[in-house]
Amino acid sequence: VQTLPRGCKRTLKKALQQPPNFTVTAKPIPNNAPAPHSSLAHFRCVVEHEVRLLASSSSSPEDFFDALAEAVSRYIGTTRMAGEIREYRDADTGRVIAFAHEVRKGRTIRGQWFYATDAASKSYVWFHSVHSIVERAIQADGVDVVDLGPSGSDAFSQLKARY
């Protein structure tokens, strides 16, 4: 954390300082069984995430349906991959507000996918997940690389590069 730019340090401090209003549960994705995030609640989370990113600034029905199609594709993809999810639930309601899909291979832990509801996007949940994956990588034997995974935009790639 000491080598991060000042703005990143402040954001992480803010994200970790406030008592989180969510719970986090690690759930491995089993072989030959439905993924733990094969649920309507998780699908809704992906849809809300994609619509916010791809269609929120537009009133075009076409943009909405493009975002919905992207969400369906991404949801199907994430439920078919190996790894583990970190499921974030609202502490008061128990509703799924986000999930992070992680994969470990060799000496690397990769944050493959991250989807969050609008509420979670305003509650520093992504920053919590970044801090968590780095912290677990430091503590794990044989892991010396954290890859924050693919990005849907250049702006998000730039954000990830800062952390």
mmCIF file of all heavy atoms in Angstrom, residues 48-91:
data_model
loop_
_atom_site.group_PDB
_atom_site.id
_atom_site.type_symbol
_atom_site.label_atom_id
_atom_site.label_comp_id
_atom_site.label_asym_id
_atom_site.label_seq_id
_atom_site.Cartn_x
_atom_site.Cartn_y
_atom_site.Cartn_z
ATOM 1 N N GLU A 48 -27.691 -5.602 -13.781
ATOM 2 C CA GLU A 48 -27.624 -4.233 -13.263
ATOM 3 C C GLU A 48 -26.249 -3.621 -13.550
ATOM 4 O O GLU A 48 -26.143 -2.451 -13.938
ATOM 5 C CB GLU A 48 -27.906 -4.241 -11.756
ATOM 6 C CG GLU A 48 -28.227 -2.896 -11.193
ATOM 7 C CD GLU A 48 -28.777 -2.963 -9.775
ATOM 8 O OE1 GLU A 48 -29.477 -3.930 -9.420
ATOM 9 O OE2 GLU A 48 -28.490 -2.013 -9.023
ATOM 10 N N HIS A 49 -25.213 -4.414 -13.378
ATOM 11 C CA HIS A 49 -23.844 -3.968 -13.640
ATOM 12 C C HIS A 49 -23.668 -3.559 -15.104
ATOM 13 O O HIS A 49 -23.182 -2.469 -15.400
ATOM 14 C CB HIS A 49 -22.880 -5.108 -13.274
ATOM 15 C CG HIS A 49 -21.448 -4.788 -13.449
ATOM 16 N ND1 HIS A 49 -20.673 -4.313 -12.421
ATOM 17 C CD2 HIS A 49 -20.629 -4.892 -14.517
ATOM 18 C CE1 HIS A 49 -19.447 -4.131 -12.851
ATOM 19 N NE2 HIS A 49 -19.389 -4.480 -14.132
ATOM 20 N N GLU A 50 -24.064 -4.435 -16.015
ATOM 21 C CA GLU A 50 -23.874 -4.168 -17.443
ATOM 22 C C GLU A 50 -24.743 -3.011 -17.941
ATOM 23 O O GLU A 50 -24.286 -2.184 -18.727
ATOM 24 C CB GLU A 50 -24.139 -5.429 -18.271
ATOM 25 C CG GLU A 50 -23.114 -6.527 -18.048
ATOM 26 C CD GLU A 50 -21.699 -6.119 -18.395
ATOM 27 O OE1 GLU A 50 -21.500 -5.388 -19.396
ATOM 28 O OE2 GLU A 50 -20.777 -6.517 -17.672
ATOM 29 N N VAL A 51 -25.971 -2.934 -17.465
ATOM 30 C CA VAL A 51 -26.842 -1.826 -17.878
ATOM 31 C C VAL A 51 -26.267 -0.503 -17.372
ATOM 32 O O VAL A 51 -26.247 0.493 -18.101
ATOM 33 C CB VAL A 51 -28.295 -2.048 -17.400
ATOM 34 C CG1 VAL A 51 -29.135 -0.787 -17.568
ATOM 35 C CG2 VAL A 51 -28.923 -3.215 -18.152
ATOM 36 N N ARG A 52 -25.757 -0.483 -16.148
ATOM 37 C CA ARG A 52 -25.156 0.739 -15.609
ATOM 38 C C ARG A 52 -23.956 1.170 -16.459
ATOM 39 O O ARG A 52 -23.794 2.338 -16.777
ATOM 40 C CB ARG A 52 -24.715 0.529 -14.157
ATOM 41 C CG ARG A 52 -24.066 1.753 -13.529
ATOM 42 C CD ARG A 52 -23.661 1.560 -12.069
ATOM 43 N NE ARG A 52 -22.592 0.590 -11.913
ATOM 44 C CZ ARG A 52 -22.748 -0.639 -11.432
ATOM 45 N NH1 ARG A 52 -23.935 -1.067 -11.041
ATOM 46 N NH2 ARG A 52 -21.739 -1.454 -11.319
ATOM 47 N N LEU A 53 -23.121 0.214 -16.854
ATOM 48 C CA LEU A 53 -21.912 0.556 -17.596
ATOM 49 C C LEU A 53 -22.161 0.864 -19.064
ATOM 50 O O LEU A 53 -21.509 1.720 -19.637
ATOM 51 C CB LEU A 53 -20.893 -0.590 -17.493
ATOM 52 C CG LEU A 53 -20.328 -0.849 -16.113
ATOM 53 C CD1 LEU A 53 -19.344 -1.999 -16.153
ATOM 54 C CD2 LEU A 53 -19.664 0.392 -15.545
ATOM 55 N N LEU A 54 -23.096 0.146 -19.674
ATOM 56 C CA LEU A 54 -23.254 0.246 -21.125
ATOM 57 C C LEU A 54 -24.434 1.084 -21.596
ATOM 58 O O LEU A 54 -24.449 1.528 -22.744
ATOM 59 C CB LEU A 54 -23.363 -1.159 -21.733
ATOM 60 C CG LEU A 54 -22.173 -2.090 -21.464
ATOM 61 C CD1 LEU A 54 -22.446 -3.469 -22.029
ATOM 62 C CD2 LEU A 54 -20.894 -1.507 -22.032
ATOM 63 N N ALA A 55 -25.433 1.278 -20.740
ATOM 64 C CA ALA A 55 -26.637 1.963 -21.222
ATOM 65 C C ALA A 55 -27.153 3.060 -20.304
ATOM 66 O O ALA A 55 -28.153 3.686 -20.630
ATOM 67 C CB ALA A 55 -27.745 0.931 -21.457
ATOM 68 N N SER A 56 -26.491 3.304 -19.190
ATOM 69 C CA SER A 56 -27.052 4.262 -18.230
ATOM 70 C C SER A 56 -27.068 5.692 -18.748
ATOM 71 O O SER A 56 -27.921 6.487 -18.347
ATOM 72 C CB SER A 56 -26.298 4.195 -16.908
ATOM 73 O OG SER A 56 -24.965 4.625 -17.090
ATOM 74 N N SER A 57 -26.156 6.056 -19.623
ATOM 75 C CA SER A 57 -26.121 7.436 -20.116
ATOM 76 C C SER A 57 -26.959 7.620 -21.384
ATOM 77 O O SER A 57 -26.965 8.684 -21.978
ATOM 78 C CB SER A 57 -24.681 7.854 -20.403
ATOM 79 O OG SER A 57 -24.144 7.041 -21.433
ATOM 80 N N SER A 58 -27.684 6.571 -21.739
ATOM 81 C CA SER A 58 -28.466 6.622 -22.975
ATOM 82 C C SER A 58 -29.925 6.300 -22.680
ATOM 83 O O SER A 58 -30.228 5.491 -21.817
ATOM 84 C CB SER A 58 -27.916 5.595 -23.962
ATOM 85 O OG SER A 58 -28.767 5.439 -25.056
ATOM 86 N N SER A 59 -30.793 6.918 -23.414
ATOM 87 C CA SER A 59 -32.212 6.573 -23.282
ATOM 88 C C SER A 59 -32.650 5.671 -24.430
ATOM 89 O O SER A 59 -33.836 5.391 -24.583
ATOM 90 C CB SER A 59 -33.056 7.845 -23.251
ATOM 91 O OG SER A 59 -32.859 8.579 -24.450
ATOM 92 N N SER A 60 -31.699 5.188 -25.183
ATOM 93 C CA SER A 60 -31.990 4.364 -26.345
ATOM 94 C C SER A 60 -32.375 2.941 -25.929
ATOM 95 O O SER A 60 -31.627 2.280 -25.217
ATOM 96 C CB SER A 60 -30.758 4.315 -27.257
ATOM 97 O OG SER A 60 -30.858 3.248 -28.162
ATOM 98 N N PRO A 61 -33.526 2.462 -26.379
ATOM 99 C CA PRO A 61 -33.890 1.058 -26.107
ATOM 100 C C PRO A 61 -32.847 0.100 -26.686
ATOM 101 O O PRO A 61 -32.577 -0.946 -26.104
ATOM 102 C CB PRO A 61 -35.236 0.884 -26.801
ATOM 103 C CG PRO A 61 -35.780 2.257 -26.962
ATOM 104 C CD PRO A 61 -34.593 3.173 -27.081
ATOM 105 N N GLU A 62 -32.253 0.469 -27.803
ATOM 106 C CA GLU A 62 -31.235 -0.383 -28.418
ATOM 107 C C GLU A 62 -30.031 -0.560 -27.483
ATOM 108 O O GLU A 62 -29.503 -1.665 -27.342
ATOM 109 C CB GLU A 62 -30.777 0.205 -29.750
ATOM 110 C CG GLU A 62 -29.806 -0.696 -30.492
ATOM 111 C CD GLU A 62 -29.459 -0.159 -31.867
ATOM 112 O OE1 GLU A 62 -30.307 0.477 -32.508
ATOM 113 O OE2 GLU A 62 -28.311 -0.394 -32.278
ATOM 114 N N ASP A 63 -29.602 0.527 -26.836
ATOM 115 C CA ASP A 63 -28.479 0.427 -25.900
ATOM 116 C C ASP A 63 -28.839 -0.454 -24.711
ATOM 117 O O ASP A 63 -28.010 -1.235 -24.231
ATOM 118 C CB ASP A 63 -28.055 1.814 -25.417
ATOM 119 C CG ASP A 63 -27.340 2.615 -26.489
ATOM 120 O OD1 ASP A 63 -26.954 2.023 -27.523
ATOM 121 O OD2 ASP A 63 -27.174 3.837 -26.298
ATOM 122 N N PHE A 64 -30.072 -0.332 -24.223
ATOM 123 C CA PHE A 64 -30.508 -1.177 -23.118
ATOM 124 C C PHE A 64 -30.468 -2.648 -23.513
ATOM 125 O O PHE A 64 -29.948 -3.491 -22.779
ATOM 126 C CB PHE A 64 -31.926 -0.796 -22.657
ATOM 127 C CG PHE A 64 -32.495 -1.787 -21.684
ATOM 128 C CD1 PHE A 64 -32.108 -1.780 -20.354
ATOM 129 C CD2 PHE A 64 -33.396 -2.757 -22.111
ATOM 130 C CE1 PHE A 64 -32.612 -2.715 -19.458
ATOM 131 C CE2 PHE A 64 -33.906 -3.691 -21.223
ATOM 132 C CZ PHE A 64 -33.512 -3.666 -19.894
ATOM 133 N N PHE A 65 -31.012 -2.982 -24.684
ATOM 134 C CA PHE A 65 -31.039 -4.378 -25.107
ATOM 135 C C PHE A 65 -29.643 -4.908 -25.434
ATOM 136 O O PHE A 65 -29.355 -6.083 -25.208
ATOM 137 C CB PHE A 65 -32.022 -4.587 -26.260
ATOM 138 C CG PHE A 65 -33.455 -4.538 -25.802
ATOM 139 C CD1 PHE A 65 -34.280 -3.496 -26.172
ATOM 140 C CD2 PHE A 65 -33.957 -5.526 -24.966
ATOM 141 C CE1 PHE A 65 -35.599 -3.445 -25.718
ATOM 142 C CE2 PHE A 65 -35.264 -5.485 -24.510
ATOM 143 C CZ PHE A 65 -36.096 -4.442 -24.891
ATOM 144 N N ASP A 66 -28.764 -4.041 -25.925
ATOM 145 C CA ASP A 66 -27.367 -4.453 -26.123
ATOM 146 C C ASP A 66 -26.719 -4.788 -24.776
ATOM 147 O O ASP A 66 -25.996 -5.783 -24.650
ATOM 148 C CB ASP A 66 -26.563 -3.344 -26.810
ATOM 149 C CG ASP A 66 -26.870 -3.223 -28.290
ATOM 150 O OD1 ASP A 66 -27.544 -4.126 -28.856
ATOM 151 O OD2 ASP A 66 -26.462 -2.200 -28.890
ATOM 152 N N ALA A 67 -26.974 -3.963 -23.764
ATOM 153 C CA ALA A 67 -26.428 -4.218 -22.428
ATOM 154 C C ALA A 67 -27.012 -5.497 -21.841
ATOM 155 O O ALA A 67 -26.305 -6.291 -21.212
ATOM 156 C CB ALA A 67 -26.708 -3.027 -21.502
ATOM 157 N N LEU A 68 -28.303 -5.719 -22.056
ATOM 158 C CA LEU A 68 -28.949 -6.941 -21.579
ATOM 159 C C LEU A 68 -28.344 -8.175 -22.255
ATOM 160 O O LEU A 68 -28.052 -9.178 -21.593
ATOM 161 C CB LEU A 68 -30.456 -6.881 -21.823
ATOM 162 C CG LEU A 68 -31.281 -8.056 -21.307
ATOM 163 C CD1 LEU A 68 -31.124 -8.220 -19.804
ATOM 164 C CD2 LEU A 68 -32.751 -7.857 -21.681
ATOM 165 N N ALA A 69 -28.118 -8.100 -23.558
ATOM 166 C CA ALA A 69 -27.499 -9.220 -24.280
ATOM 167 C C ALA A 69 -26.089 -9.478 -23.763
ATOM 168 O O ALA A 69 -25.683 -10.639 -23.587
ATOM 169 C CB ALA A 69 -27.478 -8.924 -25.773
ATOM 170 N N GLU A 70 -25.355 -8.425 -23.507
ATOM 171 C CA GLU A 70 -24.001 -8.570 -22.956
ATOM 172 C C GLU A 70 -24.055 -9.219 -21.582
ATOM 173 O O GLU A 70 -23.235 -10.091 -21.250
ATOM 174 C CB GLU A 70 -23.316 -7.203 -22.868
ATOM 175 C CG GLU A 70 -21.873 -7.262 -22.473
ATOM 176 C CD GLU A 70 -20.978 -7.881 -23.533
ATOM 177 O OE1 GLU A 70 -21.297 -7.818 -24.726
ATOM 178 O OE2 GLU A 70 -19.917 -8.436 -23.136
ATOM 179 N N ALA A 71 -25.016 -8.828 -20.762
ATOM 180 C CA ALA A 71 -25.164 -9.403 -19.426
ATOM 181 C C ALA A 71 -25.465 -10.896 -19.498
ATOM 182 O O ALA A 71 -24.900 -11.689 -18.735
ATOM 183 C CB ALA A 71 -26.265 -8.672 -18.655
ATOM 184 N N VAL A 72 -26.341 -11.297 -20.392
ATOM 185 C CA VAL A 72 -26.665 -12.725 -20.541
ATOM 186 C C VAL A 72 -25.405 -13.497 -20.914
ATOM 187 O O VAL A 72 -25.090 -14.535 -20.324
ATOM 188 C CB VAL A 72 -27.784 -12.932 -21.591
ATOM 189 C CG1 VAL A 72 -27.937 -14.405 -21.940
ATOM 190 C CG2 VAL A 72 -29.097 -12.361 -21.086
ATOM 191 N N SER A 73 -24.655 -12.987 -21.874
ATOM 192 C CA SER A 73 -23.429 -13.649 -22.315
ATOM 193 C C SER A 73 -22.403 -13.752 -21.185
ATOM 194 O O SER A 73 -21.807 -14.810 -20.959
ATOM 195 C CB SER A 73 -22.833 -12.882 -23.495
ATOM 196 O OG SER A 73 -21.598 -13.413 -23.862
ATOM 197 N N ARG A 74 -22.217 -12.679 -20.471
ATOM 198 C CA ARG A 74 -21.236 -12.674 -19.382
ATOM 199 C C ARG A 74 -21.668 -13.577 -18.232
ATOM 200 O O ARG A 74 -20.846 -14.255 -17.629
ATOM 201 C CB ARG A 74 -20.975 -11.254 -18.896
ATOM 202 C CG ARG A 74 -20.180 -10.467 -19.914
ATOM 203 C CD ARG A 74 -19.952 -9.038 -19.453
ATOM 204 N NE ARG A 74 -19.220 -8.304 -20.452
ATOM 205 C CZ ARG A 74 -17.910 -8.063 -20.389
ATOM 206 N NH1 ARG A 74 -17.217 -8.508 -19.371
ATOM 207 N NH2 ARG A 74 -17.321 -7.380 -21.347
ATOM 208 N N TYR A 75 -22.946 -13.581 -17.927
ATOM 209 C CA TYR A 75 -23.448 -14.448 -16.859
ATOM 210 C C TYR A 75 -23.231 -15.917 -17.223
ATOM 211 O O TYR A 75 -22.745 -16.699 -16.410
ATOM 212 C CB TYR A 75 -24.924 -14.168 -16.583
ATOM 213 C CG TYR A 75 -25.501 -15.101 -15.552
ATOM 214 C CD1 TYR A 75 -25.189 -14.946 -14.208
ATOM 215 C CD2 TYR A 75 -26.320 -16.151 -15.923
ATOM 216 C CE1 TYR A 75 -25.687 -15.815 -13.258
ATOM 217 C CE2 TYR A 75 -26.834 -17.029 -14.975
ATOM 218 C CZ TYR A 75 -26.511 -16.844 -13.650
ATOM 219 O OH TYR A 75 -27.002 -17.724 -12.709
ATOM 220 N N ILE A 76 -23.576 -16.283 -18.440
ATOM 221 C CA ILE A 76 -23.370 -17.666 -18.875
ATOM 222 C C ILE A 76 -21.887 -18.011 -18.789
ATOM 223 O O ILE A 76 -21.513 -19.081 -18.300
ATOM 224 C CB ILE A 76 -23.921 -17.884 -20.302
ATOM 225 C CG1 ILE A 76 -25.453 -17.840 -20.272
ATOM 226 C CG2 ILE A 76 -23.428 -19.212 -20.886
ATOM 227 C CD1 ILE A 76 -26.101 -17.810 -21.641
ATOM 228 N N GLY A 77 -21.030 -17.095 -19.224
ATOM 229 C CA GLY A 77 -19.588 -17.341 -19.165
ATOM 230 C C GLY A 77 -19.071 -17.547 -17.766
ATOM 231 O O GLY A 77 -18.337 -18.506 -17.496
ATOM 232 N N THR A 78 -19.461 -16.683 -16.847
ATOM 233 C CA THR A 78 -18.918 -16.792 -15.486
ATOM 234 C C THR A 78 -19.423 -18.040 -14.755
ATOM 235 O O THR A 78 -18.729 -18.586 -13.916
ATOM 236 C CB THR A 78 -19.178 -15.524 -14.651
ATOM 237 O OG1 THR A 78 -18.462 -15.620 -13.419
ATOM 238 C CG2 THR A 78 -20.640 -15.304 -14.350
ATOM 239 N N THR A 79 -20.608 -18.505 -15.085
ATOM 240 C CA THR A 79 -21.115 -19.712 -14.406
ATOM 241 C C THR A 79 -20.535 -20.989 -15.008
ATOM 242 O O THR A 79 -20.770 -22.073 -14.484
ATOM 243 C CB THR A 79 -22.653 -19.785 -14.445
ATOM 244 O OG1 THR A 79 -23.089 -19.757 -15.801
ATOM 245 C CG2 THR A 79 -23.279 -18.648 -13.652
ATOM 246 N N ARG A 80 -19.786 -20.878 -16.079
ATOM 247 C CA ARG A 80 -19.185 -22.049 -16.725
ATOM 248 C C ARG A 80 -17.683 -22.163 -16.463
ATOM 249 O O ARG A 80 -17.035 -23.054 -16.969
ATOM 250 C CB ARG A 80 -19.418 -22.001 -18.245
ATOM 251 C CG ARG A 80 -20.859 -21.880 -18.671
ATOM 252 C CD ARG A 80 -21.482 -23.239 -18.866
ATOM 253 N NE ARG A 80 -22.826 -23.276 -19.388
ATOM 254 C CZ ARG A 80 -23.928 -22.841 -18.810
ATOM 255 N NH1 ARG A 80 -23.852 -22.194 -17.690
ATOM 256 N NH2 ARG A 80 -25.108 -23.013 -19.355
ATOM 257 N N MET A 81 -17.125 -21.237 -15.710
ATOM 258 C CA MET A 81 -15.679 -21.218 -15.475
ATOM 259 C C MET A 81 -15.322 -21.804 -14.115
ATOM 260 O O MET A 81 -16.121 -21.771 -13.185
ATOM 261 C CB MET A 81 -15.153 -19.788 -15.542
ATOM 262 C CG MET A 81 -15.214 -19.182 -16.898
ATOM 263 S SD MET A 81 -14.529 -17.520 -16.808
ATOM 264 C CE MET A 81 -14.493 -17.121 -18.529
ATOM 265 N N ALA A 82 -14.106 -22.283 -14.024
ATOM 266 C CA ALA A 82 -13.576 -22.814 -12.768
ATOM 267 C C ALA A 82 -13.185 -21.665 -11.852
ATOM 268 O O ALA A 82 -13.176 -20.499 -12.255
ATOM 269 C CB ALA A 82 -12.360 -23.682 -13.061
ATOM 270 N N GLY A 83 -12.862 -21.991 -10.626
ATOM 271 C CA GLY A 83 -12.361 -20.998 -9.685
ATOM 272 C C GLY A 83 -13.175 -20.935 -8.419
ATOM 273 O O GLY A 83 -13.651 -21.948 -7.901
ATOM 274 N N GLU A 84 -13.335 -19.717 -7.937
ATOM 275 C CA GLU A 84 -14.033 -19.466 -6.679
ATOM 276 C C GLU A 84 -14.693 -18.106 -6.794
ATOM 277 O O GLU A 84 -14.182 -17.218 -7.460
ATOM 278 C CB GLU A 84 -12.995 -19.466 -5.547
ATOM 279 C CG GLU A 84 -13.537 -19.122 -4.190
ATOM 280 C CD GLU A 84 -12.461 -19.206 -3.114
ATOM 281 O OE1 GLU A 84 -12.212 -20.319 -2.618
ATOM 282 O OE2 GLU A 84 -11.877 -18.159 -2.796
ATOM 283 N N ILE A 85 -15.838 -17.953 -6.157
ATOM 284 C CA ILE A 85 -16.434 -16.623 -6.099
ATOM 285 C C ILE A 85 -16.365 -16.103 -4.668
ATOM 286 O O ILE A 85 -16.325 -16.882 -3.702
ATOM 287 C CB ILE A 85 -17.895 -16.565 -6.621
ATOM 288 C CG1 ILE A 85 -18.844 -17.346 -5.723
ATOM 289 C CG2 ILE A 85 -17.972 -17.010 -8.059
ATOM 290 C CD1 ILE A 85 -20.291 -16.945 -5.888
ATOM 291 N N ARG A 86 -16.324 -14.804 -4.558
ATOM 292 C CA ARG A 86 -16.494 -14.090 -3.291
ATOM 293 C C ARG A 86 -17.831 -13.398 -3.430
ATOM 294 O O ARG A 86 -18.006 -12.519 -4.265
ATOM 295 C CB ARG A 86 -15.390 -13.056 -3.070
ATOM 296 C CG ARG A 86 -14.011 -13.631 -3.011
ATOM 297 C CD ARG A 86 -13.731 -14.174 -1.648
ATOM 298 N NE ARG A 86 -12.596 -15.085 -1.707
ATOM 299 C CZ ARG A 86 -11.950 -15.502 -0.649
ATOM 300 N NH1 ARG A 86 -12.309 -15.091 0.535
ATOM 301 N NH2 ARG A 86 -10.964 -16.338 -0.785
ATOM 302 N N GLU A 87 -18.773 -13.853 -2.645
ATOM 303 C CA GLU A 87 -20.135 -13.339 -2.734
ATOM 304 C C GLU A 87 -20.341 -12.261 -1.679
ATOM 305 O O GLU A 87 -20.099 -12.485 -0.498
ATOM 306 C CB GLU A 87 -21.122 -14.486 -2.507
ATOM 307 C CG GLU A 87 -22.571 -14.082 -2.592
ATOM 308 C CD GLU A 87 -23.460 -15.265 -2.303
ATOM 309 O OE1 GLU A 87 -23.605 -15.613 -1.102
ATOM 310 O OE2 GLU A 87 -23.989 -15.835 -3.261
ATOM 311 N N TYR A 88 -20.788 -11.098 -2.127
ATOM 312 C CA TYR A 88 -21.062 -9.958 -1.251
ATOM 313 C C TYR A 88 -22.562 -9.822 -1.097
ATOM 314 O O TYR A 88 -23.283 -9.738 -2.083
ATOM 315 C CB TYR A 88 -20.487 -8.673 -1.849
ATOM 316 C CG TYR A 88 -18.977 -8.648 -1.865
ATOM 317 C CD1 TYR A 88 -18.269 -9.333 -2.845
ATOM 318 C CD2 TYR A 88 -18.271 -7.956 -0.902
ATOM 319 C CE1 TYR A 88 -16.880 -9.319 -2.854
ATOM 320 C CE2 TYR A 88 -16.879 -7.935 -0.911
ATOM 321 C CZ TYR A 88 -16.197 -8.621 -1.890
ATOM 322 O OH TYR A 88 -14.827 -8.608 -1.900
ATOM 323 N N ARG A 89 -23.033 -9.825 0.143
ATOM 324 C CA ARG A 89 -24.458 -9.675 0.432
ATOM 325 C C ARG A 89 -24.673 -8.501 1.369
ATOM 326 O O ARG A 89 -23.878 -8.266 2.284
ATOM 327 C CB ARG A 89 -25.026 -10.938 1.080
ATOM 328 C CG ARG A 89 -25.150 -12.092 0.113
ATOM 329 C CD ARG A 89 -25.846 -13.295 0.782
ATOM 330 N NE ARG A 89 -26.050 -14.365 -0.169
ATOM 331 C CZ ARG A 89 -27.153 -14.548 -0.876
ATOM 332 N NH1 ARG A 89 -28.186 -13.730 -0.699
ATOM 333 N NH2 ARG A 89 -27.247 -15.533 -1.727
ATOM 334 N N ASP A 90 -25.764 -7.792 1.149
ATOM 335 C CA ASP A 90 -26.154 -6.700 2.029
ATOM 336 C C ASP A 90 -26.399 -7.277 3.423
ATOM 337 O O ASP A 90 -27.130 -8.261 3.572
ATOM 338 C CB ASP A 90 -27.432 -6.039 1.492
ATOM 339 C CG ASP A 90 -27.852 -4.853 2.318
ATOM 340 O OD1 ASP A 90 -28.348 -5.068 3.457
ATOM 341 O OD2 ASP A 90 -27.709 -3.727 1.840
ATOM 342 N N ALA A 91 -25.773 -6.692 4.436
ATOM 343 C CA ALA A 91 -25.870 -7.227 5.796
ATOM 344 C C ALA A 91 -27.277 -7.119 6.367
ATOM 345 O O ALA A 91 -27.671 -7.916 7.219
ATOM 346 C CB ALA A 91 -24.885 -6.509 6.717
#
